[in-house]
Amino acid sequence: MDYSKLDGLVPAVIQDAESSEVLMVGFMNEQALAHTQRTGYATFFSRTRQKLWMKGESSGNKLEVVEILVDCDEDTLLVKVKRLGDGNVCHTGERSCFYRVLNHDKDTKEPKDTKAQSTNDDSNLGVDQTLNGRTRS
Amino acid sequence: MDYSKLDGLVPAVIQDAESSEVLMVGFMNEQALAHTQRTGYATFFSRTRQKLWMKGESSGNKLEVVEILVDCDEDTLLVKVKRLGDGNVCHTGERSCFYRVLNHDKDTKEPKDTKAQSTNDDSNLGVDQTLNGRTRS
């Protein structure tokens, strides 16, 4: 695995092995992945708490690993799981964390001033320039 | 959307709207998401090239957006798509980037010394301590 792109972490997509629903996305470091493999239950690295957490360790809603796949450039994991406990993965009580459709209007506001955004604009995309009638200067 | 956790980016899981296969994971900043919504084709922010890229802009294998979902804490997107062109999403020619099962032995080696790893160890997980017969000091 290549942990270099996100400061020691890789995204781990959690997918229901039976229904193929995407349930959540967490982050793993090498220890979280090793823990997941050793125990057979999905374990993540909490970015907010800065420590490992086994999903469902308290609630009983653990995620039993069925299969772990790795992507082409080895910087992302796809973990197929069986939902244990009441089967609701999201802390809101929903089965999946992805229970809302994105509001188009709400999320096309002006970008905040962050590194990734300030070093980039639409001028990198020729196609979009044409669509918007703008020209390169 | 909350772009603060990954320096202006959020992971975007790309899922085939028909088969429910997870095809790839990319990253979007606000501009990439706005471009995706405006054009109807998945557009990412390339971390290596530090610019926007519309998937399939050159190859024709664009990803037509069917629906965009957002997770509970608004820091991850799930983009359901229709595969265009030859339908092969991965640059290797595979349909999905997740075409390999993770090799267990290969990926349980000792962690590298990175920020996320060095600030954490298994002692944060009570369950694992018990399993390994270790005690807190």
Side-chain angles (χ1 to χ4, degrees):
Chain A
M1 293 299 299
D2 178 0
Y3 294 93
S4 68
K5 295 176 184 172
L6 287 181
D7 201 16
L9 302 174
V10 294
V13 180
I14 306 299
Q15 185 178 33
D16 188 298
E18 195 173 0
S19 69
S20 293
E21 257 178 304
V22 174
L23 300 168
M24 62 171 285
V25 173
F27 288 84
M28 293 185 183
N29 59 7
E30 282 201 74
Q31 289 180 309
L33 174 57
H35 193 272
T36 297
Q37 292 179 305
R38 193 167 64 245
T39 62
Y41 298 108
T43 303
F44 305 96
F45 180 80
S46 168
R47 294 177 293 171
T48 48
R49 289 176 289 160
Q50 290 285 301
K51 64 175 191 176
L52 294 190
W53 63 287
M54 179 191 283
K55 169 74 185 164
E57 192 176 4
S58 307
S59 67
N61 298 347
K62 291 183 186 176
L63 300 170
E64 186 181 308
V65 174
V66 175
E67 187 175 42
I68 304 180
L69 301 169
V70 59
D71 77 335
C72 50
D73 48 5
E74 303 191 349
D75 60 10
T76 309
L77 295 168
L78 174 60
V79 185
K80 298 193 179 186
V81 302
K82 178 181 176 185
R83 290 175 288 118
L84 302 185
D86 66 15
N88 296 323
V89 170
C90 186
H91 73 284
T92 61
E94 300 282 342
R95 186 163 67 179
S96 163
C97 292
F98 296 96
Y99 57 88
R100 289 176 300 172
V101 173
L102 186 69
N103 179 331
H104 188 295
D105 297 331
K106 179 184 166 194
D107 291 285
T108 51
K109 61 186 182 294
E110 285 302 303
K112 295 166 203 156
D113 182 22
T114 61
K115 181 185 161 194
Q117 287 149 354
S118 62
T119 56
N120 175 64
D121 62 43
D122 274 352
S123 64
N124 293 307
L125 277 177
V127 162
D128 194 47
Q129 288 190 310
T130 306
L131 289 173
N132 288 297
R134 284 179 281 146
T135 54
R136 280 178 200 276
S137 59
Chain B
M1 293 299 297
D2 179 359
Y3 294 94
S4 68
K5 295 177 183 171
L6 287 180
D7 202 17
L9 302 175
V10 293
V13 179
I14 306 298
Q15 184 177 33
D16 189 297
E18 195 174 0
S19 69
S20 294
E21 256 179 305
V22 173
L23 301 168
M24 63 172 283
V25 173
F27 288 84
M28 293 186 183
N29 59 8
E30 283 201 73
Q31 289 181 310
L33 175 57
H35 192 273
T36 297
Q37 292 179 304
R38 193 167 63 244
T39 63
Y41 298 109
T43 303
F44 305 97
F45 180 80
S46 168
R47 294 177 295 171
T48 47
R49 291 175 287 158
Q50 289 285 301
K51 64 175 191 176
L52 295 190
W53 63 286
M54 179 191 283
K55 169 73 185 163
E57 191 176 6
S58 307
S59 66
N61 298 347
K62 292 184 186 177
L63 300 170
E64 186 181 309
V65 175
V66 175
E67 188 174 41
I68 304 180
L69 300 169
V70 59
D71 77 335
C72 51
D73 48 4
E74 303 191 350
D75 61 9
T76 310
L77 295 167
L78 174 60
V79 185
K80 298 193 178 186
V81 302
K82 178 181 176 184
R83 289 175 288 118
L84 302 185
D86 67 15
N88 296 324
V89 171
C90 186
H91 73 284
T92 62
E94 300 282 342
R95 187 164 66 180
S96 162
C97 292
F98 297 96
Y99 58 89
R100 289 176 299 172
V101 173
L102 186 69
N103 179 331
H104 188 295
D105 296 331
K106 180 183 165 192
D107 291 285
T108 52
K109 61 185 181 296
E110 286 302 303
K112 294 166 203 155
D113 182 23
T114 61
K115 180 185 164 193
Q117 287 150 354
S118 61
T119 57
N120 174 65
D121 63 43
D122 274 351
S123 66
N124 294 307
L125 278 175
V127 162
D128 195 48
Q129 287 190 310
T130 307
L131 289 173
N132 288 296
R134 285 180 279 146
T135 54
R136 281 178 199 277
S137 57

